[in-house]
Amino acid sequence: MSAADTNTGTGTTATGTEAAAWSTDPYADALRAGRGPLFLRRTDGWLLPLDVERWCARADAADLSALHRCEGSVLDIGCGPGRLVAALAARGRRALGVDVSEAAVERTLRLGGTALRRSVFDPLPGEGRWGTVLLVDGNIGIGGDPAGLLRRAAGLLTHGGLIIAETAPVDIDERVRVRVDDGRRPPPGATGSHFPWARLGTPALLRYGRALGWQPVDQWEVAGRPFVALRRSTARVTRQSAEHTNSAAVTSSQRARNPSVDRAAYGS
């Protein structure tokens, strides 16, 4: 899990502060140790537990139920320690994980997966050619703007591509600001970096999706974890998404890339 991004008035981009929030010691230490405690702490003090032990374990039955439904090449957004990317690679599937955390990418690579340290809102290899985008472990909340994230996914997927998203097990549509927290009392005056996040139940995700031209093709639940599969119903992308994709393509041509990773992920 993770890829903390923010929505600005000129488009959705990652900021250094928010990317750094997922690179702080509590998150990196938890991934390297393979265990928590770890939380997202809301500004009012409320804590959302993060299931680090499950993320660092092998893909379980609920994970596999999502992976079995993937089509074509797979982009795992906020891949965390890489269990899904590694499971797909072990089955001969072409998959790439993206995450803003260096510790997450390192662990994914050690498991035999392919991953880039990058935000979903950065230029990514193979834009418009992915068969499936995964938003598992609550990552539909990335950026605190579900509609913006769905528009971004539209620019990443091939025509007719799938989003497979895990939703909250309650009917909720919440936008909050949170920070990564290990639950310990911080030193006096110390505060972490807050970033926008969202929590969506299935009804809320379906509302956002339908408003943007996505159609639900499957809904299921395994071990208390609900999932939704959405398919792009038309070839059209909103003007905002098209502008972002075009801008990303220009930016991509101006920055250093890793062509070996691009070729490994896409076979091109």
mmCIF file with all atom_site columns, all heavy atoms in Angstrom, residues 22-33 56 79-82 99-110 117:
data_model
loop_
_atom_site.group_PDB
_atom_site.id
_atom_site.type_symbol
_atom_site.label_atom_id
_atom_site.label_alt_id
_atom_site.label_comp_id
_atom_site.label_asym_id
_atom_site.label_entity_id
_atom_site.label_seq_id
_atom_site.pdbx_PDB_ins_code
_atom_site.Cartn_x
_atom_site.Cartn_y
_atom_site.Cartn_z
_atom_site.occupancy
_atom_site.B_iso_or_equiv
_atom_site.pdbx_formal_charge
_atom_site.auth_seq_id
_atom_site.auth_comp_id
_atom_site.auth_asym_id
_atom_site.auth_atom_id
_atom_site.pdbx_PDB_model_num
ATOM 1   N N   . TRP A 1 22  ? 5.434  8.486   3.083  1.00 0.00 ? 22  TRP A N   1
ATOM 2   C CA  . TRP A 1 22  ? 5.496  7.030   2.985  1.00 0.00 ? 22  TRP A CA  1
ATOM 3   C C   . TRP A 1 22  ? 6.929  6.524   3.032  1.00 0.00 ? 22  TRP A C   1
ATOM 4   O O   . TRP A 1 22  ? 7.167  5.323   2.927  1.00 0.00 ? 22  TRP A O   1
ATOM 5   C CB  . TRP A 1 22  ? 4.816  6.557   1.699  1.00 0.00 ? 22  TRP A CB  1
ATOM 6   C CG  . TRP A 1 22  ? 3.333  6.702   1.771  1.00 0.00 ? 22  TRP A CG  1
ATOM 7   C CD1 . TRP A 1 22  ? 2.586  7.674   1.194  1.00 0.00 ? 22  TRP A CD1 1
ATOM 8   C CD2 . TRP A 1 22  ? 2.418  5.858   2.472  1.00 0.00 ? 22  TRP A CD2 1
ATOM 9   N NE1 . TRP A 1 22  ? 1.255  7.479   1.491  1.00 0.00 ? 22  TRP A NE1 1
ATOM 10  C CE2 . TRP A 1 22  ? 1.122  6.383   2.276  1.00 0.00 ? 22  TRP A CE2 1
ATOM 11  C CE3 . TRP A 1 22  ? 2.575  4.712   3.256  1.00 0.00 ? 22  TRP A CE3 1
ATOM 12  C CZ2 . TRP A 1 22  ? -0.017 5.794   2.814  1.00 0.00 ? 22  TRP A CZ2 1
ATOM 13  C CZ3 . TRP A 1 22  ? 1.437  4.122   3.795  1.00 0.00 ? 22  TRP A CZ3 1
ATOM 14  C CH2 . TRP A 1 22  ? 0.167  4.660   3.578  1.00 0.00 ? 22  TRP A CH2 1
ATOM 15  N N   . SER A 1 23  ? 7.897  7.418   3.152  1.00 0.00 ? 23  SER A N   1
ATOM 16  C CA  . SER A 1 23  ? 9.299  7.021   3.201  1.00 0.00 ? 23  SER A CA  1
ATOM 17  C C   . SER A 1 23  ? 9.893  7.266   4.578  1.00 0.00 ? 23  SER A C   1
ATOM 18  O O   . SER A 1 23  ? 11.089 7.117   4.767  1.00 0.00 ? 23  SER A O   1
ATOM 19  C CB  . SER A 1 23  ? 10.095 7.809   2.143  1.00 0.00 ? 23  SER A CB  1
ATOM 20  O OG  . SER A 1 23  ? 9.563  7.583   0.858  1.00 0.00 ? 23  SER A OG  1
ATOM 21  N N   . THR A 1 24  ? 9.042  7.684   5.513  1.00 0.00 ? 24  THR A N   1
ATOM 22  C CA  . THR A 1 24  ? 9.528  7.931   6.864  1.00 0.00 ? 24  THR A CA  1
ATOM 23  C C   . THR A 1 24  ? 9.814  6.624   7.573  1.00 0.00 ? 24  THR A C   1
ATOM 24  O O   . THR A 1 24  ? 9.381  5.560   7.155  1.00 0.00 ? 24  THR A O   1
ATOM 25  C CB  . THR A 1 24  ? 8.487  8.731   7.670  1.00 0.00 ? 24  THR A CB  1
ATOM 26  O OG1 . THR A 1 24  ? 7.237  8.025   7.625  1.00 0.00 ? 24  THR A OG1 1
ATOM 27  C CG2 . THR A 1 24  ? 8.302  10.123  7.101  1.00 0.00 ? 24  THR A CG2 1
ATOM 28  N N   . ASP A 1 25  ? 10.530 6.705   8.661  1.00 0.00 ? 25  ASP A N   1
ATOM 29  C CA  . ASP A 1 25  ? 10.986 5.510   9.359  1.00 0.00 ? 25  ASP A CA  1
ATOM 30  C C   . ASP A 1 25  ? 9.874  4.549   9.764  1.00 0.00 ? 25  ASP A C   1
ATOM 31  O O   . ASP A 1 25  ? 10.049 3.334   9.615  1.00 0.00 ? 25  ASP A O   1
ATOM 32  C CB  . ASP A 1 25  ? 11.814 5.897   10.587 1.00 0.00 ? 25  ASP A CB  1
ATOM 33  C CG  . ASP A 1 25  ? 13.191 6.419   10.212 1.00 0.00 ? 25  ASP A CG  1
ATOM 34  O OD1 . ASP A 1 25  ? 13.604 6.208   9.050  1.00 0.00 ? 25  ASP A OD1 1
ATOM 35  O OD2 . ASP A 1 25  ? 13.834 7.040   11.063 1.00 0.00 ? 25  ASP A OD2 1
ATOM 36  N N   . PRO A 1 26  ? 8.729  4.993   10.297 1.00 0.00 ? 26  PRO A N   1
ATOM 37  C CA  . PRO A 1 26  ? 7.712  4.005   10.717 1.00 0.00 ? 26  PRO A CA  1
ATOM 38  C C   . PRO A 1 26  ? 7.278  3.075   9.593  1.00 0.00 ? 26  PRO A C   1
ATOM 39  O O   . PRO A 1 26  ? 7.180  1.863   9.787  1.00 0.00 ? 26  PRO A O   1
ATOM 40  C CB  . PRO A 1 26  ? 6.552  4.885   11.212 1.00 0.00 ? 26  PRO A CB  1
ATOM 41  C CG  . PRO A 1 26  ? 7.197  6.148   11.643 1.00 0.00 ? 26  PRO A CG  1
ATOM 42  C CD  . PRO A 1 26  ? 8.334  6.364   10.682 1.00 0.00 ? 26  PRO A CD  1
ATOM 43  N N   . TYR A 1 27  ? 7.034  3.617   8.392  1.00 0.00 ? 27  TYR A N   1
ATOM 44  C CA  . TYR A 1 27  ? 6.586  2.773   7.289  1.00 0.00 ? 27  TYR A CA  1
ATOM 45  C C   . TYR A 1 27  ? 7.720  1.899   6.774  1.00 0.00 ? 27  TYR A C   1
ATOM 46  O O   . TYR A 1 27  ? 7.565  0.681   6.601  1.00 0.00 ? 27  TYR A O   1
ATOM 47  C CB  . TYR A 1 27  ? 6.035  3.647   6.159  1.00 0.00 ? 27  TYR A CB  1
ATOM 48  C CG  . TYR A 1 27  ? 5.464  2.842   5.011  1.00 0.00 ? 27  TYR A CG  1
ATOM 49  C CD1 . TYR A 1 27  ? 4.331  2.046   5.195  1.00 0.00 ? 27  TYR A CD1 1
ATOM 50  C CD2 . TYR A 1 27  ? 6.049  2.880   3.755  1.00 0.00 ? 27  TYR A CD2 1
ATOM 51  C CE1 . TYR A 1 27  ? 3.809  1.302   4.143  1.00 0.00 ? 27  TYR A CE1 1
ATOM 52  C CE2 . TYR A 1 27  ? 5.522  2.149   2.703  1.00 0.00 ? 27  TYR A CE2 1
ATOM 53  C CZ  . TYR A 1 27  ? 4.409  1.361   2.906  1.00 0.00 ? 27  TYR A CZ  1
ATOM 54  O OH  . TYR A 1 27  ? 3.894  0.628   1.870  1.00 0.00 ? 27  TYR A OH  1
ATOM 55  N N   . ALA A 1 28  ? 8.873  2.508   6.519  1.00 0.00 ? 28  ALA A N   1
ATOM 56  C CA  . ALA A 1 28  ? 10.013 1.735   6.026  1.00 0.00 ? 28  ALA A CA  1
ATOM 57  C C   . ALA A 1 28  ? 10.421 0.663   7.029  1.00 0.00 ? 28  ALA A C   1
ATOM 58  O O   . ALA A 1 28  ? 10.701 -0.488  6.659  1.00 0.00 ? 28  ALA A O   1
ATOM 59  C CB  . ALA A 1 28  ? 11.185 2.672   5.740  1.00 0.00 ? 28  ALA A CB  1
ATOM 60  N N   . ASP A 1 29  ? 10.444 1.023   8.309  1.00 0.00 ? 29  ASP A N   1
ATOM 61  C CA  . ASP A 1 29  ? 10.833 0.048   9.336  1.00 0.00 ? 29  ASP A CA  1
ATOM 62  C C   . ASP A 1 29  ? 9.849  -1.108  9.399  1.00 0.00 ? 29  ASP A C   1
ATOM 63  O O   . ASP A 1 29  ? 10.244 -2.271  9.559  1.00 0.00 ? 29  ASP A O   1
ATOM 64  C CB  . ASP A 1 29  ? 10.925 0.729   10.711 1.00 0.00 ? 29  ASP A CB  1
ATOM 65  C CG  . ASP A 1 29  ? 12.112 1.685   10.818 1.00 0.00 ? 29  ASP A CG  1
ATOM 66  O OD1 . ASP A 1 29  ? 12.972 1.651   9.923  1.00 0.00 ? 29  ASP A OD1 1
ATOM 67  O OD2 . ASP A 1 29  ? 12.157 2.462   11.787 1.00 0.00 ? 29  ASP A OD2 1
ATOM 68  N N   . ALA A 1 30  ? 8.545  -0.797  9.281  1.00 0.00 ? 30  ALA A N   1
ATOM 69  C CA  . ALA A 1 30  ? 7.537  -1.855  9.340  1.00 0.00 ? 30  ALA A CA  1
ATOM 70  C C   . ALA A 1 30  ? 7.684  -2.810  8.167  1.00 0.00 ? 30  ALA A C   1
ATOM 71  O O   . ALA A 1 30  ? 7.599  -4.038  8.328  1.00 0.00 ? 30  ALA A O   1
ATOM 72  C CB  . ALA A 1 30  ? 6.137  -1.240  9.361  1.00 0.00 ? 30  ALA A CB  1
ATOM 73  N N   . LEU A 1 31  ? 7.927  -2.281  6.971  1.00 0.00 ? 31  LEU A N   1
ATOM 74  C CA  . LEU A 1 31  ? 8.091  -3.157  5.809  1.00 0.00 ? 31  LEU A CA  1
ATOM 75  C C   . LEU A 1 31  ? 9.342  -4.010  5.936  1.00 0.00 ? 31  LEU A C   1
ATOM 76  O O   . LEU A 1 31  ? 9.336  -5.197  5.582  1.00 0.00 ? 31  LEU A O   1
ATOM 77  C CB  . LEU A 1 31  ? 8.146  -2.341  4.524  1.00 0.00 ? 31  LEU A CB  1
ATOM 78  C CG  . LEU A 1 31  ? 6.867  -1.621  4.084  1.00 0.00 ? 31  LEU A CG  1
ATOM 79  C CD1 . LEU A 1 31  ? 7.015  -1.145  2.641  1.00 0.00 ? 31  LEU A CD1 1
ATOM 80  C CD2 . LEU A 1 31  ? 5.632  -2.495  4.222  1.00 0.00 ? 31  LEU A CD2 1
ATOM 81  N N   . ARG A 1 32  ? 10.406 -3.430  6.411  1.00 0.00 ? 32  ARG A N   1
ATOM 82  C CA  . ARG A 1 32  ? 11.645 -4.194  6.536  1.00 0.00 ? 32  ARG A CA  1
ATOM 83  C C   . ARG A 1 32  ? 11.547 -5.265  7.610  1.00 0.00 ? 32  ARG A C   1
ATOM 84  O O   . ARG A 1 32  ? 12.136 -6.339  7.489  1.00 0.00 ? 32  ARG A O   1
ATOM 85  C CB  . ARG A 1 32  ? 12.811 -3.240  6.801  1.00 0.00 ? 32  ARG A CB  1
ATOM 86  C CG  . ARG A 1 32  ? 13.158 -2.414  5.560  1.00 0.00 ? 32  ARG A CG  1
ATOM 87  C CD  . ARG A 1 32  ? 14.159 -1.320  5.819  1.00 0.00 ? 32  ARG A CD  1
ATOM 88  N NE  . ARG A 1 32  ? 14.428 -0.579  4.568  1.00 0.00 ? 32  ARG A NE  1
ATOM 89  C CZ  . ARG A 1 32  ? 14.567 0.737   4.491  1.00 0.00 ? 32  ARG A CZ  1
ATOM 90  N NH1 . ARG A 1 32  ? 14.477 1.478   5.587  1.00 0.00 ? 32  ARG A NH1 1
ATOM 91  N NH2 . ARG A 1 32  ? 14.804 1.310   3.330  1.00 0.00 ? 32  ARG A NH2 1
ATOM 92  N N   . ALA A 1 33  ? 10.763 -4.974  8.660  1.00 0.00 ? 33  ALA A N   1
ATOM 93  C CA  . ALA A 1 33  ? 10.562 -5.963  9.714  1.00 0.00 ? 33  ALA A CA  1
ATOM 94  C C   . ALA A 1 33  ? 9.469  -6.960  9.371  1.00 0.00 ? 33  ALA A C   1
ATOM 95  O O   . ALA A 1 33  ? 9.408  -8.052  9.943  1.00 0.00 ? 33  ALA A O   1
ATOM 96  C CB  . ALA A 1 33  ? 10.220 -5.260  11.030 1.00 0.00 ? 33  ALA A CB  1
ATOM 97  N N   . CYS A 1 56  ? 3.018  -8.207  3.905  1.00 0.00 ? 56  CYS A N   1
ATOM 98  C CA  . CYS A 1 56  ? 4.363  -8.781  3.774  1.00 0.00 ? 56  CYS A CA  1
ATOM 99  C C   . CYS A 1 56  ? 4.343  -10.305 3.664  1.00 0.00 ? 56  CYS A C   1
ATOM 100 O O   . CYS A 1 56  ? 5.405  -10.927 3.533  1.00 0.00 ? 56  CYS A O   1
ATOM 101 C CB  . CYS A 1 56  ? 5.229  -8.362  4.964  1.00 0.00 ? 56  CYS A CB  1
ATOM 102 S SG  . CYS A 1 56  ? 5.645  -6.589  4.957  1.00 0.00 ? 56  CYS A SG  1
ATOM 103 N N   . CYS A 1 79  ? 1.978  -0.620  -4.768 1.00 0.00 ? 79  CYS A N   1
ATOM 104 C CA  . CYS A 1 79  ? 2.206  -2.069  -4.642 1.00 0.00 ? 79  CYS A CA  1
ATOM 105 C C   . CYS A 1 79  ? 2.718  -2.489  -3.279 1.00 0.00 ? 79  CYS A C   1
ATOM 106 O O   . CYS A 1 79  ? 2.714  -3.675  -2.948 1.00 0.00 ? 79  CYS A O   1
ATOM 107 C CB  . CYS A 1 79  ? 3.170  -2.550  -5.726 1.00 0.00 ? 79  CYS A CB  1
ATOM 108 S SG  . CYS A 1 79  ? 4.857  -1.909  -5.574 1.00 0.00 ? 79  CYS A SG  1
ATOM 109 N N   . GLY A 1 80  ? 3.176  -1.519  -2.445 1.00 0.00 ? 80  GLY A N   1
ATOM 110 C CA  . GLY A 1 80  ? 3.685  -1.897  -1.133 1.00 0.00 ? 80  GLY A CA  1
ATOM 111 C C   . GLY A 1 80  ? 4.831  -2.888  -1.254 1.00 0.00 ? 80  GLY A C   1
ATOM 112 O O   . GLY A 1 80  ? 5.641  -2.806  -2.180 1.00 0.00 ? 80  GLY A O   1
ATOM 113 N N   . PRO A 1 81  ? 4.909  -3.868  -0.342 1.00 0.00 ? 81  PRO A N   1
ATOM 114 C CA  . PRO A 1 81  ? 6.032  -4.803  -0.367 1.00 0.00 ? 81  PRO A CA  1
ATOM 115 C C   . PRO A 1 81  ? 5.981  -5.841  -1.469 1.00 0.00 ? 81  PRO A C   1
ATOM 116 O O   . PRO A 1 81  ? 6.837  -6.721  -1.525 1.00 0.00 ? 81  PRO A O   1
ATOM 117 C CB  . PRO A 1 81  ? 5.988  -5.449  1.022  1.00 0.00 ? 81  PRO A CB  1
ATOM 118 C CG  . PRO A 1 81  ? 4.579  -5.297  1.477  1.00 0.00 ? 81  PRO A CG  1
ATOM 119 C CD  . PRO A 1 81  ? 4.083  -4.011  0.874  1.00 0.00 ? 81  PRO A CD  1
ATOM 120 N N   . GLY A 1 82  ? 4.982  -5.792  -2.344 1.00 0.00 ? 82  GLY A N   1
ATOM 121 C CA  . GLY A 1 82  ? 5.062  -6.500  -3.604 1.00 0.00 ? 82  GLY A CA  1
ATOM 122 C C   . GLY A 1 82  ? 4.504  -7.899  -3.694 1.00 0.00 ? 82  GLY A C   1
ATOM 123 O O   . GLY A 1 82  ? 4.784  -8.609  -4.656 1.00 0.00 ? 82  GLY A O   1
ATOM 124 N N   . ASP A 1 99  ? 5.259  2.434   -6.508 1.00 0.00 ? 99  ASP A N   1
ATOM 125 C CA  . ASP A 1 99  ? 5.086  2.859   -5.122 1.00 0.00 ? 99  ASP A CA  1
ATOM 126 C C   . ASP A 1 99  ? 6.066  3.987   -4.859 1.00 0.00 ? 99  ASP A C   1
ATOM 127 O O   . ASP A 1 99  ? 7.165  4.000   -5.432 1.00 0.00 ? 99  ASP A O   1
ATOM 128 C CB  . ASP A 1 99  ? 5.350  1.695   -4.163 1.00 0.00 ? 99  ASP A CB  1
ATOM 129 C CG  . ASP A 1 99  ? 4.664  1.888   -2.821 1.00 0.00 ? 99  ASP A CG  1
ATOM 130 O OD1 . ASP A 1 99  ? 5.087  2.784   -2.059 1.00 0.00 ? 99  ASP A OD1 1
ATOM 131 O OD2 . ASP A 1 99  ? 3.699  1.165   -2.538 1.00 0.00 ? 99  ASP A OD2 1
ATOM 132 N N   . VAL A 1 100 ? 5.679  4.942   -4.015 1.00 0.00 ? 100 VAL A N   1
ATOM 133 C CA  . VAL A 1 100 ? 6.570  6.055   -3.703 1.00 0.00 ? 100 VAL A CA  1
ATOM 134 C C   . VAL A 1 100 ? 7.578  5.698   -2.618 1.00 0.00 ? 100 VAL A C   1
ATOM 135 O O   . VAL A 1 100 ? 8.486  6.473   -2.344 1.00 0.00 ? 100 VAL A O   1
ATOM 136 C CB  . VAL A 1 100 ? 5.778  7.312   -3.280 1.00 0.00 ? 100 VAL A CB  1
ATOM 137 C CG1 . VAL A 1 100 ? 4.902  7.802   -4.414 1.00 0.00 ? 100 VAL A CG1 1
ATOM 138 C CG2 . VAL A 1 100 ? 4.970  7.054   -2.018 1.00 0.00 ? 100 VAL A CG2 1
ATOM 139 N N   . SER A 1 101 ? 7.438  4.542   -1.990 1.00 0.00 ? 101 SER A N   1
ATOM 140 C CA  . SER A 1 101 ? 8.326  4.146   -0.905 1.00 0.00 ? 101 SER A CA  1
ATOM 141 C C   . SER A 1 101 ? 9.496  3.339   -1.437 1.00 0.00 ? 101 SER A C   1
ATOM 142 O O   . SER A 1 101 ? 9.331  2.312   -2.090 1.00 0.00 ? 101 SER A O   1
ATOM 143 C CB  . SER A 1 101 ? 7.553  3.306   0.122  1.00 0.00 ? 101 SER A CB  1
ATOM 144 O OG  . SER A 1 101 ? 8.437  2.608   0.969  1.00 0.00 ? 101 SER A OG  1
ATOM 145 N N   . GLU A 1 102 ? 10.706 3.778   -1.119 1.00 0.00 ? 102 GLU A N   1
ATOM 146 C CA  . GLU A 1 102 ? 11.902 3.044   -1.521 1.00 0.00 ? 102 GLU A CA  1
ATOM 147 C C   . GLU A 1 102 ? 11.928 1.658   -0.885 1.00 0.00 ? 102 GLU A C   1
ATOM 148 O O   . GLU A 1 102 ? 12.290 0.671   -1.530 1.00 0.00 ? 102 GLU A O   1
ATOM 149 C CB  . GLU A 1 102 ? 13.152 3.829   -1.121 1.00 0.00 ? 102 GLU A CB  1
ATOM 150 C CG  . GLU A 1 102 ? 14.453 3.172   -1.533 1.00 0.00 ? 102 GLU A CG  1
ATOM 151 C CD  . GLU A 1 102 ? 15.669 3.997   -1.169 1.00 0.00 ? 102 GLU A CD  1
ATOM 152 O OE1 . GLU A 1 102 ? 15.490 5.087   -0.588 1.00 0.00 ? 102 GLU A OE1 1
ATOM 153 O OE2 . GLU A 1 102 ? 16.799 3.561   -1.453 1.00 0.00 ? 102 GLU A OE2 1
ATOM 154 N N   . ALA A 1 103 ? 11.521 1.573   0.394  1.00 0.00 ? 103 ALA A N   1
ATOM 155 C CA  . ALA A 1 103 ? 11.514 0.273   1.079  1.00 0.00 ? 103 ALA A CA  1
ATOM 156 C C   . ALA A 1 103 ? 10.547 -0.688  0.412  1.00 0.00 ? 103 ALA A C   1
ATOM 157 O O   . ALA A 1 103 ? 10.819 -1.891  0.300  1.00 0.00 ? 103 ALA A O   1
ATOM 158 C CB  . ALA A 1 103 ? 11.152 0.464   2.553  1.00 0.00 ? 103 ALA A CB  1
ATOM 159 N N   . ALA A 1 104 ? 9.398  -0.183  -0.048 1.00 0.00 ? 104 ALA A N   1
ATOM 160 C CA  . ALA A 1 104 ? 8.418  -1.036  -0.725 1.00 0.00 ? 104 ALA A CA  1
ATOM 161 C C   . ALA A 1 104 ? 8.967  -1.570  -2.034 1.00 0.00 ? 104 ALA A C   1
ATOM 162 O O   . ALA A 1 104 ? 8.841  -2.758  -2.347 1.00 0.00 ? 104 ALA A O   1
ATOM 163 C CB  . ALA A 1 104 ? 7.133  -0.256  -0.964 1.00 0.00 ? 104 ALA A CB  1
ATOM 164 N N   . VAL A 1 105 ? 9.583  -0.701  -2.811 1.00 0.00 ? 105 VAL A N   1
ATOM 165 C CA  . VAL A 1 105 ? 10.137 -1.132  -4.092 1.00 0.00 ? 105 VAL A CA  1
ATOM 166 C C   . VAL A 1 105 ? 11.262 -2.129  -3.881 1.00 0.00 ? 105 VAL A C   1
ATOM 167 O O   . VAL A 1 105 ? 11.357 -3.152  -4.585 1.00 0.00 ? 105 VAL A O   1
ATOM 168 C CB  . VAL A 1 105 ? 10.619 0.097   -4.897 1.00 0.00 ? 105 VAL A CB  1
ATOM 169 C CG1 . VAL A 1 105 ? 11.410 -0.334  -6.128 1.00 0.00 ? 105 VAL A CG1 1
ATOM 170 C CG2 . VAL A 1 105 ? 9.420  0.957   -5.304 1.00 0.00 ? 105 VAL A CG2 1
ATOM 171 N N   . GLU A 1 106 ? 12.128 -1.882  -2.913 1.00 0.00 ? 106 GLU A N   1
ATOM 172 C CA  . GLU A 1 106 ? 13.229 -2.807  -2.637 1.00 0.00 ? 106 GLU A CA  1
ATOM 173 C C   . GLU A 1 106 ? 12.700 -4.197  -2.301 1.00 0.00 ? 106 GLU A C   1
ATOM 174 O O   . GLU A 1 106 ? 13.215 -5.211  -2.780 1.00 0.00 ? 106 GLU A O   1
ATOM 175 C CB  . GLU A 1 106 ? 14.071 -2.280  -1.476 1.00 0.00 ? 106 GLU A CB  1
ATOM 176 C CG  . GLU A 1 106 ? 14.921 -1.071  -1.824 1.00 0.00 ? 106 GLU A CG  1
ATOM 177 C CD  . GLU A 1 106 ? 15.631 -0.504  -0.605 1.00 0.00 ? 106 GLU A CD  1
ATOM 178 O OE1 . GLU A 1 106 ? 15.323 -0.952  0.530  1.00 0.00 ? 106 GLU A OE1 1
ATOM 179 O OE2 . GLU A 1 106 ? 16.487 0.382   -0.784 1.00 0.00 ? 106 GLU A OE2 1
ATOM 180 N N   . ARG A 1 107 ? 11.670 -4.252  -1.465 1.00 0.00 ? 107 ARG A N   1
ATOM 181 C CA  . ARG A 1 107 ? 11.131 -5.552  -1.066 1.00 0.00 ? 107 ARG A CA  1
ATOM 182 C C   . ARG A 1 107 ? 10.465 -6.261  -2.253 1.00 0.00 ? 107 ARG A C   1
ATOM 183 O O   . ARG A 1 107 ? 10.577 -7.471  -2.407 1.00 0.00 ? 107 ARG A O   1
ATOM 184 C CB  . ARG A 1 107 ? 10.151 -5.397  0.090  1.00 0.00 ? 107 ARG A CB  1
ATOM 185 C CG  . ARG A 1 107 ? 9.636  -6.715  0.620  1.00 0.00 ? 107 ARG A CG  1
ATOM 186 C CD  . ARG A 1 107 ? 9.133  -6.596  2.027  1.00 0.00 ? 107 ARG A CD  1
ATOM 187 N NE  . ARG A 1 107 ? 8.652  -7.907  2.490  1.00 0.00 ? 107 ARG A NE  1
ATOM 188 C CZ  . ARG A 1 107 ? 8.772  -8.353  3.711  1.00 0.00 ? 107 ARG A CZ  1
ATOM 189 N NH1 . ARG A 1 107 ? 9.384  -7.626  4.622  1.00 0.00 ? 107 ARG A NH1 1
ATOM 190 N NH2 . ARG A 1 107 ? 8.294  -9.525  4.056  1.00 0.00 ? 107 ARG A NH2 1
ATOM 191 N N   . THR A 1 108 ? 9.766  -5.498  -3.092 1.00 0.00 ? 108 THR A N   1
ATOM 192 C CA  . THR A 1 108 ? 9.151  -6.084  -4.280 1.00 0.00 ? 108 THR A CA  1
ATOM 193 C C   . THR A 1 108 ? 10.204 -6.719  -5.182 1.00 0.00 ? 108 THR A C   1
ATOM 194 O O   . THR A 1 108 ? 10.031 -7.837  -5.679 1.00 0.00 ? 108 THR A O   1
ATOM 195 C CB  . THR A 1 108 ? 8.374  -5.010  -5.059 1.00 0.00 ? 108 THR A CB  1
ATOM 196 O OG1 . THR A 1 108 ? 7.367  -4.440  -4.210 1.00 0.00 ? 108 THR A OG1 1
ATOM 197 C CG2 . THR A 1 108 ? 7.701  -5.595  -6.287 1.00 0.00 ? 108 THR A CG2 1
ATOM 198 N N   . LEU A 1 109 ? 11.306 -6.016  -5.388 1.00 0.00 ? 109 LEU A N   1
ATOM 199 C CA  . LEU A 1 109 ? 12.373 -6.540  -6.235 1.00 0.00 ? 109 LEU A CA  1
ATOM 200 C C   . LEU A 1 109 ? 12.985 -7.801  -5.635 1.00 0.00 ? 109 LEU A C   1
ATOM 201 O O   . LEU A 1 109 ? 13.290 -8.763  -6.359 1.00 0.00 ? 109 LEU A O   1
ATOM 202 C CB  . LEU A 1 109 ? 13.446 -5.468  -6.442 1.00 0.00 ? 109 LEU A CB  1
ATOM 203 C CG  . LEU A 1 109 ? 12.994 -4.196  -7.178 1.00 0.00 ? 109 LEU A CG  1
ATOM 204 C CD1 . LEU A 1 109 ? 14.126 -3.173  -7.229 1.00 0.00 ? 109 LEU A CD1 1
ATOM 205 C CD2 . LEU A 1 109 ? 12.509 -4.524  -8.580 1.00 0.00 ? 109 LEU A CD2 1
ATOM 206 N N   . ARG A 1 110 ? 13.150 -7.829  -4.314 1.00 0.00 ? 110 ARG A N   1
ATOM 207 C CA  . ARG A 1 110 ? 13.710 -9.028  -3.666 1.00 0.00 ? 110 ARG A CA  1
ATOM 208 C C   . ARG A 1 110 ? 12.800 -10.234 -3.838 1.00 0.00 ? 110 ARG A C   1
ATOM 209 O O   . ARG A 1 110 ? 13.277 -11.369 -3.886 1.00 0.00 ? 110 ARG A O   1
ATOM 210 C CB  . ARG A 1 110 ? 13.953 -8.762  -2.175 1.00 0.00 ? 110 ARG A CB  1
ATOM 211 C CG  . ARG A 1 110 ? 15.137 -7.869  -1.893 1.00 0.00 ? 110 ARG A CG  1
ATOM 212 C CD  . ARG A 1 110 ? 15.616 -8.015  -0.463 1.00 0.00 ? 110 ARG A CD  1
ATOM 213 N NE  . ARG A 1 110 ? 14.575 -7.754  0.508  1.00 0.00 ? 110 ARG A NE  1
ATOM 214 C CZ  . ARG A 1 110 ? 14.306 -6.556  1.008  1.00 0.00 ? 110 ARG A CZ  1
ATOM 215 N NH1 . ARG A 1 110 ? 14.997 -5.493  0.595  1.00 0.00 ? 110 ARG A NH1 1
ATOM 216 N NH2 . ARG A 1 110 ? 13.353 -6.388  1.898  1.00 0.00 ? 110 ARG A NH2 1
ATOM 217 N N   . ARG A 1 117 ? 9.932  3.147   -8.274 1.00 0.00 ? 117 ARG A N   1
ATOM 218 C CA  . ARG A 1 117 ? 9.611  4.121   -7.239 1.00 0.00 ? 117 ARG A CA  1
ATOM 219 C C   . ARG A 1 117 ? 9.046  5.358   -7.927 1.00 0.00 ? 117 ARG A C   1
ATOM 220 O O   . ARG A 1 117 ? 9.783  6.189   -8.453 1.00 0.00 ? 117 ARG A O   1
ATOM 221 C CB  . ARG A 1 117 ? 10.850 4.478   -6.419 1.00 0.00 ? 117 ARG A CB  1
ATOM 222 C CG  . ARG A 1 117 ? 10.511 5.372   -5.235 1.00 0.00 ? 117 ARG A CG  1
ATOM 223 C CD  . ARG A 1 117 ? 11.732 5.760   -4.436 1.00 0.00 ? 117 ARG A CD  1
ATOM 224 N NE  . ARG A 1 117 ? 11.360 6.576   -3.297 1.00 0.00 ? 117 ARG A NE  1
ATOM 225 C CZ  . ARG A 1 117 ? 12.221 7.223   -2.516 1.00 0.00 ? 117 ARG A CZ  1
ATOM 226 N NH1 . ARG A 1 117 ? 13.511 7.121   -2.755 1.00 0.00 ? 117 ARG A NH1 1
ATOM 227 N NH2 . ARG A 1 117 ? 11.793 7.951   -1.507 1.00 0.00 ? 117 ARG A NH2 1
#
